[in-house]
Amino acid sequence: MINLFLKAKHWQLFTLVFALPIAVQVIMMISIFSDVIDNPNPDPAFMLNYMWAFPIIMLLVISVNFGWLWSVAIGLQKKVPQNVTMKVKKFKIFFFVPLIYLILVALFFITTLNEVSSSNPESVAPILGGFVFIIPLHLFSMFCIFYSLYFVAKTIKTVELQREVAFGEFIGEFLMMWFYFIGIWFLQPKINRMAEELVQDNNQSTF
């Protein structure tokens, strides 16, 4: 799986993370407007029939984004110089916190949607109370995500320069990862080259 993300092309990742979700949302909006035109006084609950796609899109984006982060951070460790220490264990802990959180949010959204569609207000009240716990978890997850971006950006630059790097040297990679829809076009070709070097190194070690 790691090699799959390392060798993936930039346009493939862009399609899965941005193009496909946007296309699905456009189709949904067109369908909703079409139903409204056909029925000028629709029941507002009819929109719930279209909401099923959002958790699926969310899970797709989460899977690709986090799969890519993990693959780069862990897959490129073999190219990190031996004299450079990377806090891999710390990264793994902070990596899984937002991943678990986002999956729980998606399940929470699905549960809430089912309860609302069942027209059972009493069952919705306890679920909405869950937002009290979501806010602090959300803030901590944001911190963990930024640390993951920081770690992956540092890994890329460390492998590229083959030495210890300061934040000022990989802030460009960090920003490109933050603005993933642009940065992926520049980062992934570089990662592809690193993945090819890994394959060459493995082949040489077998002789």
Side-chain angles (χ1 to χ4, degrees):
M1 183 61 71
I2 288 179
N3 289 333
L4 183 64
F5 280 103
L6 293 180
K7 295 180 180 180
K9 301 302 180 182
H10 45 61
W11 63 268
Q12 294 173 326
L13 294 172
F14 180 85
T15 299
L16 290 174
V17 176
F18 292 99
L20 183 59
I22 290 175
V24 172
Q25 292 181 52
V26 170
I27 293 173
M28 286 177 57
M29 293 303 299
I30 293 175
S31 299
I32 291 173
F33 283 123
S34 176
D35 286 349
V36 171
I37 293 173
D38 294 338
N39 185 9
N41 297 309
D43 182 353
F46 87 97
M47 293 187 63
L48 296 175
N49 297 328
Y50 296 94
M51 300 298 287
W52 60 267
F54 285 105
I56 297 176
I57 294 174
M58 183 177 178
L59 290 174
L60 171 64
V61 174
I62 290 172
S63 300
V64 176
N65 268 330
F66 280 83
W68 183 81
L69 287 173
W70 177 269
S71 298
V72 176
I74 303 302
L76 294 182
Q77 288 303 311
K78 294 180 180 179
K79 294 288 292 180
V80 174
Q82 294 183 354
N83 62 327
V84 177
T85 301
M86 302 291 294
K87 298 179 180 179
V88 180
K89 291 184 178 179
K90 184 178 180 180
F91 163 77
K92 290 180 178 179
I93 294 173
F94 284 168
F95 173 85
F96 283 106
V97 170
L99 178 60
I100 295 173
Y101 164 75
L102 290 172
I103 292 175
L104 291 176
V105 168
L107 295 175
F108 175 83
F109 182 84
I110 294 173
T111 303
T112 303
L113 184 62
N114 289 335
E115 294 297 339
V116 171
S117 61
S118 66
S119 301
N120 187 3
E122 294 181 357
S123 61
V124 175
I127 296 175
L128 295 179
F131 281 106
V132 176
F133 300 98
I134 286 180
I135 294 175
L137 285 174
H138 181 77
L139 294 175
F140 182 61
S141 294
M142 288 178 61
F143 168 78
C144 293
I145 289 174
F146 277 113
Y147 180 82
S148 297
L149 297 180
Y150 165 88
F151 184 89
V152 174
K154 184 177 181 179
T155 299
I156 294 172
K157 202 65 177 182
T158 300
V159 171
E160 181 182 8
L161 300 180
Q162 287 296 293
R163 60 174 174 80
E164 185 73 46
V165 294
F167 180 66
E169 295 179 279
F170 61 88
I171 189 172
E173 283 78 6
F174 176 80
L175 292 175
M176 282 191 286
M177 294 184 63
W178 190 353
F179 299 98
Y180 187 84
F181 64 99
I182 297 176
I184 191 61
W185 297 93
F186 301 95
L187 291 174
Q188 193 61 18
K190 184 185 299 186
I191 293 170
N192 290 156
R193 290 192 294 271
M194 294 176 181
E196 291 176 0
E197 292 175 0
L198 276 173
V199 173
Q200 294 174 0
D201 293 342
N202 291 333
N203 292 337
Q204 292 176 359
S205 64
T206 58
F207 292 104

